[in-house]
Amino acid sequence: MSTILEPGQIEASAVMPPFLHLPPANLFELRAARLQHLAEGNALGDYLWLVARLCRVQQLLVDNPPGGLPVAEERQRLCISHGLPPLAADSLVREGPWLVWLTALLEHFQAEPAGPLADALVTLRNSDDAQRKGWGIALLGGQYDAVPAALVPFLGAALQAAWSSWLLALPQPELGPAGSLAQCPACGSPAMAGVVRNRGKHNGLRYLACSLCACEWHVVRVKCVYCESSKDLRYTSLDDDRHAPGKAPLRAECCPGCQGYLKQSYLENDAAAEPLADDLASLALDMRLDEEGWHRLAPNLLLAPG
């Protein structure tokens, strides 16, 4: 049984909970396996299988990095001492050290000789670094209209592989909270989803998963990560009819104050849950919430909205 810690209990605790939860070195292999499992019987099964293939290429790149950590130690220290993310996405995406990761991903990912997937790869392979950088800047900036939708999974996969590798290469990062609850302390990107953990020192704690580098950071539960309200939060799931109240493995925390929502996986109900995989597999929930007037503010870099 997980211990549910409310905001006041956590903040009053004499022992602060661990702030960071770093991704495992085999993150993308685990993600691929989860995607394949979730693809069975899912309306988006073919897409989940495609993303699983991309994840295995991401793992190959992380295991054999095409480029090293692009942030010098002095820059890391300065950023951390000033409360800034050492892997700041808004600057590094413009500096371009991630472009070699995209080149490597395109070299390793094989597709059928014809069809929409092949066409997307041809477009990417025929583009130059300036165009690729422009697409990357637009994608991380949430300007999806500036990126051909078919290119998003490949650009997002390259960006994620690069930043996750750099995060794991940081020497024991001592990071603190960013400017907002939903902002990653390592790279400054927005959270993609939440995870309520169920083991050891993380038991009962909510961590937000970064949409870019996969860093996870602690944020107290029962609080909207966007407007910080704790009033009248609603939790909804597509599985409400199949589970006892509060037992669905994935639920959206909906805030009536700002009309925003964030999906959360509860590991005590499904220990194999993985933020990106479970987010993609539950897009039907996003569609339902959109129809009800709720707004998704969390990006998933492997799928263009709409």
Side-chain angles (χ1 to χ4, degrees), residues 91-294:
S91 58
L92 286 176
V93 71
R94 287 173 168 79
E95 293 171 19
W98 63 277
L99 292 171
V100 296
W101 292 76
L102 177 57
T103 298
L105 182 140
L106 294 174
E107 290 174 353
H108 287 94
F109 189 88
Q110 301 298 321
E112 296 75 12
L117 188 59
D119 293 343
L121 290 170
V122 168
T123 299
L124 274 171
R125 287 168 177 151
N126 289 341
S127 62
D128 58 22
D129 279 354
Q131 178 64 82
R132 295 176 180 183
K133 186 183 293 187
W135 284 328
I137 292 170
L139 181 57
L140 293 191
Q143 299 172 332
Y144 289 95
D145 291 344
V147 187
L151 308 187
V152 168
F154 304 99
L155 293 164
L159 290 161
Q160 288 179 340
W163 259 268
S164 293
S165 178
W166 298 337
L167 172 65
L168 293 173
L170 283 178
Q172 297 182 344
E174 296 180 4
L175 304 176
S180 68
L181 296 181
Q183 183 181 14
C184 175
C187 71
S189 297
M192 175 181 57
V195 179
V196 178
R197 298 201 159 267
N198 67 329
R199 292 181 180 176
K201 60 186 178 182
H202 300 96
N203 183 43
L205 302 179
R206 174 171 72 170
Y207 286 80
L208 303 190
C210 178
S211 56
L212 179 60
C213 72
C215 177
E216 296 183 8
W217 63 100
H218 174 248
V219 174
V220 293
R221 294 172 64 174
V222 197
K223 175 183 284 190
C224 175
V225 302
Y226 300 114
C227 71
E228 302 192 24
S229 172
S230 298
K231 185 177 179 181
D232 298 327
L233 296 181
R234 162 187 160 186
Y235 296 84
T236 188
S237 167
L238 288 175
D239 295 326
D240 286 342
D241 295 336
R242 296 194 297 113
H243 294 275
K247 292 300 182 182
L250 185 142
R251 283 167 263 164
E253 182 178 78
C254 305
C255 175
C258 65
Q259 289 299 113
Y261 72 89
L262 182 76
K263 291 180 186 173
Q264 297 183 160
S265 294
Y266 295 78
L267 298 189
E268 70 170 340
N269 298 330
D270 188 346
E274 196 286 322
L276 183 140
D278 287 64
D279 180 40
L280 288 178
S282 60
L283 289 180
L285 178 59
D286 294 284
M287 295 172 65
R288 183 176 116 185
L289 291 171
D290 179 67
E291 292 174 354
E292 295 175 359
W294 302 98

